[in-house]
Amino acid sequence: MSEDPIIQLREVVKTFGTQRVLDRVNLDIYPGRTTVIAGGSGQGKSVTLKLILGLMKPDSGSILVHGRDITTMNRREMNEIRSHFGVLFQGSALLDSLSVFDNVALPLQERTTLGREQIRKKVLATLIQLGLIGHEEKFPAQLSGGMKKRVGLARALQLQPEIMLFDEPTTGLDPEKTMEIYRLFHETQGKFGYTAIIVSHDIPKVFNLADQVVVLNRGKLVTFDNPEDIQLSQIPEIQAFVKATMGHLYLSSDLE
Amino acid sequence: MKKINVELVVGIFMIAGFLCFVYLSLQLGEFSLFAADRSYTVSADFDSISGLKVGAILEIAGVNVGRVSAISLGKNERAQVKMQINKEVPVNEDAIASVRTQGIIGDKYIRISLGGSEVTLKDGGRISETESAIDLEEMVSKYIFGKV
Amino acid sequence: MLLQRIENIGELTLYYLHDLGRMGLFLLRTLRGGVQQPFRFRAMLRQIREIGANSMGVIFFTAAFTGMVLGLQGYYTLRKFGSEGMLGSAVSLSLLREMGPVLTALMVTGRAGSAMCAEVGIMRNSEQIDALECMAIDPFRYLLMPKFLATMISLPLLTMVFNVVGIFGGYLAGVKLLGVNPGAFFNGMEQSVVNKDIIMGLVKSLVFGLLIVWICTGRGYFVHQIRGAGYGAEAVSRVTTQAVVISSISILLWDYILTAILL
């Protein structure tokens, strides 16, 4: 690959108590591409995400964003790096005290010098695009899970992030809503061209979107540049994981 | 009906709290804001004022006419007491100021007995005749052990 | 076995030291959040309504009954010495110096402190605080500073309301019910109360306000790192209980310390 990676994890170690969740992990993420981080629960998927976001510090190793190490940064530098990121949290993490409109407007109000009217226009445009118009006065508690995700996505896209991180974007949604989220993801990525990192259990469906799949297992990270390869892995834990999460897919290829 | 907004509620709350503060400090604190305009200050030296506090009241014939505004150590190891007295109440120069106690264990106050002179004291004047606090313990010990 | 026990004690000591340091840094970061722009004035107003104005009812009732009880108790105690005339000064001094600031702080802890702790705890649990950080919005400026200022503005005001209502409660019980001379009641009050007493109450309520908001929001903020609290809703409920208990104890502790310093 000729391009430089946008995010690099170098020998990252993270321990909780006695459990080593990440054990000297290396990972390269290239611009414009979609990376899926998979693995059983408790294998450190969300931890990896939080490390990249700078919400946690690794015990050792370095994390480079645009070639700059974020583990040694102070707050101000970190905030500058964070303006490149957009995040869709697992539970959407909308502020309960703000309406849908105010939630989406929040990053614009706090991070830009735009006037009231400009913010209003921009927010309404995004709400229309994500099919949220008519709900802007509602509060997060009045929304369904799928709607919250859409509002969360709208909020994350306000500052045109270079990198979007999705933490379990489809957990707790029915298959129809799941497809809708992936459709929105596809649409918005096509429009904004962001680099995507998706933490997901939803292996078969995410396959279609992924350029690269990494599986976390016992603190180690195995990268598959071609998602199909994951089924051919000889590591027993990964075989078990594949069997558990996409049994039908595995079986269908097995039958041939 | 118009919705009661945040500003109104907070405004009412803050005014209520502040009024209570003003009431307490004007009504109960030793100086009211207006006291300075309505009173004049005289001073008096006592041999002992044990127990007298700033804010203690001044009485003439049992009527409250002012307050003690400052206590300091004056010349010859005597206590100098500054008193604010209502403007309407004239005190003449041969008045006697004495430190008294309300009841047996009550607060100390100053009683002023007016004299017969025609000359009244002005702001900053001085009452020269004073009677010090009666020391209860001293009296009791005198009574028990006889004169020491 | 013995070694294990010593190890546990050491670990626990380290944890509590760590916890204290964490709370200290939390306070410093909030103070730093206070000087950053933009200042969220409307959010602070909303918090004053929540913490201050909405506590008025509770404070009113507590104060009225505290004052009446003081009047009643004071009367029967003072009557033994034949000094019913001192009732006014007894009621007003106990209210201004002790009962007012302490009871107001305890009521606000129970009413608003617990709510703040649970709110911040839930925001932590549902990743709302992480979301703020990821949007490069300082949660200390955005979320916590309005709460700190609102509590420290509300508590002294509530204390003053408590004092005034309490004094009238005492007046009601002492003068109207038990027949103490009203002149003696108010006169005694005016004589014995000095500015220092009012200032002492004010200083106390400011310190208590800081303690309440610091401990309650701090516990909520660290809900995911508190030892033995568990996870999710259970953790929030445990931490809220902890916050109320620690706040109340700190209030009483600091009441003693401040009285010793200021008296």
Side-chain angles (χ1 to χ4, degrees):
Chain A
M1 228 154 290
S2 57
E3 269 179 299
D4 289 330
I6 191 163
I7 295 174
Q8 292 168 286
L9 271 63
R10 288 282 167 269
E11 300 287 314
V12 171
V13 176
K14 182 74 191 172
T15 335
F16 287 107
T18 53
Q19 199 198 356
R20 182 163 279 204
V21 179
L22 296 178
D23 186 9
R24 297 169 44 146
V25 160
N26 288 296
L27 176 65
D28 288 340
I29 290 166
Y30 290 92
R33 289 161 53 94
T34 303
T35 303
V36 171
I37 301 176
S41 50
Q43 299 286 1
K45 302 188 298 289
S46 291
V47 173
T48 313
L49 219 57
K50 286 194 168 155
L51 287 171
I52 294 173
L53 285 167
L55 293 173
M56 279 182 190
K57 297 250 182 233
D59 299 342
S60 67
S62 53
I63 298 163
L64 308 173
V65 177
H66 280 306
R68 294 172 64 198
D69 190 354
I70 62 166
T71 57
T72 55
M73 276 184 182
N74 63 27
R75 266 192 100 64
R76 193 182 305 162
E77 292 171 312
M78 194 63 225
N79 279 345
E80 192 198 310
I81 289 287
R82 276 177 181 151
S83 59
H84 299 293
F85 287 128
V87 193
L88 177 56
F89 285 92
Q90 193 169 350
S92 305
L94 303 175
L95 296 187
D96 291 322
S97 55
L98 299 181
S99 67
V100 167
F101 182 91
D102 289 333
N103 259 296
V104 178
L106 182 64
L108 295 172
Q109 285 163 353
E110 294 286 328
R111 300 290 299 163
T112 66
T113 53
L114 294 178
R116 205 177 250 278
E117 207 36 53
Q118 282 170 297
I119 289 178
R120 198 179 156 72
K121 269 187 204 148
K122 266 184 90 109
V123 171
L124 286 179
T126 321
L127 291 179
I128 289 168
Q129 196 187 357
L130 293 178
L132 286 164
I133 212 73
H135 301 290
E136 62 266 31
E137 294 299 318
K138 287 187 182 165
F139 282 85
Q142 300 167 288
L143 300 177
S144 70
M147 288 256 255
K148 278 191 202 167
K149 297 264 173 178
R150 275 191 275 165
V151 179
L153 188 61
R155 180 177 72 181
L157 291 171
Q158 280 309 298
L159 296 176
Q160 271 114 27
E162 220 178 321
I163 306 158
M164 272 295 294
L165 296 97
F166 297 85
D167 190 4
E168 309 263 6
T170 58
T171 307
L173 297 184
D174 59 43
E176 198 185 327
K177 291 270 164 55
T178 304
M179 285 322 291
E180 193 186 299
I181 292 291
Y182 283 130
R183 192 177 51 73
L184 278 175
F185 163 72
H186 194 69
E187 239 176 67
T188 53
Q189 194 184 30
K191 182 160 180 252
F192 295 103
Y194 51 72
T195 309
I197 302 171
I198 306 176
V199 165
S200 183
H201 283 303
D202 236 354
I203 296 302
K205 295 187 190 101
V206 180
F207 265 10
N208 310 327
L209 307 165
D211 297 308
Q212 155 178 264
V213 175
V214 296
V215 179
L216 273 167
N217 182 50
R218 294 192 166 188
K220 291 288 182 195
L221 201 147
V222 190
T223 309
F224 300 94
D225 281 330
N226 183 356
E228 307 284 314
D229 295 347
I230 192 168
Q231 294 169 63
L232 307 173
S233 171
Q234 294 305 308
I235 303 170
E237 281 91 355
I238 292 185
Q239 278 181 348
F241 172 71
V242 167
K243 213 168 186 170
T245 51
M246 42 185 211
H248 61 282
L249 213 113
Y250 185 77
L251 279 178
S252 64
S253 58
D254 209 27
L255 282 170
E256 280 169 9
Chain B
M1 205 180 93
K2 218 184 142 195
K3 227 167 94 181
I4 298 169
N5 59 9
V6 184
E7 283 88 345
L8 188 66
V9 174
V10 173
I12 291 170
F13 163 67
M14 288 181 76
I15 293 224
F18 191 68
L19 282 182
C20 289
F21 175 65
V22 169
Y23 168 78
L24 287 176
S25 45
L26 289 193
Q27 190 68 32
L28 304 181
E30 64 265 35
F31 308 111
S32 67
L33 274 178
F34 320 103
D37 307 333
R38 290 193 282 118
S39 62
Y40 62 103
T41 307
V42 296
S43 65
D45 291 351
F46 294 86
D47 285 329
S48 163
I49 52 146
S50 65
L52 187 74
K53 281 185 291 192
V54 171
I57 62 168
L58 261 49
E59 279 186 8
I60 296 177
V63 180
N64 185 351
V65 296
R67 290 179 171 214
V68 171
S69 61
I71 296 172
S72 59
L73 194 59
K75 275 173 248 163
N76 303 330
E77 289 180 38
R78 300 184 83 196
Q80 190 181 51
V81 176
K82 287 211 156 81
M83 294 165 277
Q84 286 186 336
I85 303 172
N86 287 356
K87 272 221 170 101
E88 308 91 76
V89 181
V91 173
N92 40 24
E93 57 170 7
D94 58 349
I96 305 167
S98 42
V99 177
R100 292 300 173 98
T101 312
Q102 292 178 319
I104 292 182
I105 54 162
D107 276 350
K108 292 279 198 294
Y109 69 102
I110 291 183
R111 192 175 78 181
I112 298 174
S113 322
L114 296 179
S117 168
E118 295 285 307
V119 186
T120 54
L121 288 170
K122 298 207 168 52
D123 190 41
R126 189 164 159 274
I127 298 176
S128 41
E129 294 256 3
T130 62
E131 263 179 71
S132 291
I134 298 160
D135 195 330
L136 200 65
E137 278 176 50
E138 208 171 291
M139 271 172 59
V140 170
S141 62
K142 268 184 191 161
Y143 178 73
I144 295 174
F145 303 111
K147 280 213 164 152
V148 182
Chain C
M1 191 59 189
L2 186 68
L3 209 65
Q4 178 73 33
R5 196 163 288 172
I6 292 171
E7 220 171 87
N8 283 346
I9 292 171
E11 199 201 342
L12 219 64
T13 314
L14 277 180
Y15 168 77
Y16 284 115
L17 278 177
H18 184 82
D19 200 30
L20 197 65
R22 193 160 63 188
M23 290 297 277
L25 286 176
F26 175 82
L27 185 63
L28 281 182
R29 280 188 68 187
T30 311
L31 295 183
R32 201 176 56 185
V35 294
Q36 281 163 1
Q37 292 297 322
F39 175 66
R40 295 187 69 226
F41 186 72
R42 280 197 64 88
M44 189 187 78
L45 284 189
R46 267 199 297 275
Q47 290 295 327
I48 292 180
R49 179 183 60 179
E50 216 42 60
I51 298 161
N54 290 355
S55 299
M56 285 280 266
V58 180
I59 292 301
F60 197 87
F61 273 98
T62 325
F65 284 103
T66 308
M68 285 169 74
V69 166
L70 281 176
L72 220 57
Q73 290 277 20
Y75 176 79
Y76 285 111
T77 312
L78 288 173
R79 204 176 55 171
K80 288 182 192 160
F81 306 103
S83 340
E84 295 101 312
M86 304 261 299
L87 188 63
S89 85
V91 167
S92 59
L93 282 183
S94 358
L95 277 169
L96 286 173
R97 288 185 182 169
E98 291 301 325
M99 307 294 257
V102 171
L103 284 179
T104 308
L106 290 178
M107 296 315 286
V108 170
T109 305
R111 221 199 129 268
S114 57
M116 279 192 284
C117 178
E119 185 193 344
V120 175
I122 288 169
M123 289 187 79
R124 163 64 73 192
N125 264 352
S126 58
E127 297 181 304
Q128 291 176 44
I129 290 173
D130 286 342
L132 283 176
E133 295 234 31
C134 286
M135 287 186 273
I137 297 170
D138 186 2
F140 289 89
R141 173 186 68 77
Y142 186 85
L143 182 65
L144 297 169
M145 198 58 207
K147 291 190 197 300
F148 268 70
L149 278 179
T151 315
M152 292 188 64
I153 289 171
S154 299
L155 208 62
L157 293 174
L158 285 173
T159 305
M160 291 302 147
V161 173
F162 191 107
N163 289 338
V164 170
V165 174
I167 285 170
F168 280 97
Y171 169 80
L172 216 64
V175 176
K176 294 283 167 197
L177 231 59
L178 299 169
V180 173
N181 179 302
F185 184 86
F186 280 110
N187 221 353
M189 201 158 83
E190 284 173 37
Q191 274 170 52
S192 51
V193 174
V194 291
N195 278 351
K196 208 176 94 179
D197 297 319
I198 298 170
I199 291 168
M200 186 196 236
L202 213 60
V203 171
K204 278 185 177 180
S205 64
L206 275 173
V207 173
F208 295 162
L210 184 65
L211 281 173
I212 293 171
V213 71
W214 177 29
I215 292 168
C216 289
T217 55
R219 290 285 95 178
Y221 189 84
F222 294 117
V223 64
H224 57 312
Q225 289 171 359
I226 305 266
R227 186 190 180 88
Y231 301 97
E234 199 187 9
V236 173
S237 82
R238 287 223 178 108
V239 162
T240 306
T241 310
Q242 215 180 63
V244 170
V245 172
I246 298 176
S247 302
S248 309
I249 292 175
S250 321
I251 287 165
L252 296 173
L253 186 77
W254 275 92
D255 185 41
Y256 182 82
I257 296 173
L258 287 175
T259 308
I261 293 173
L262 293 173
L263 211 60

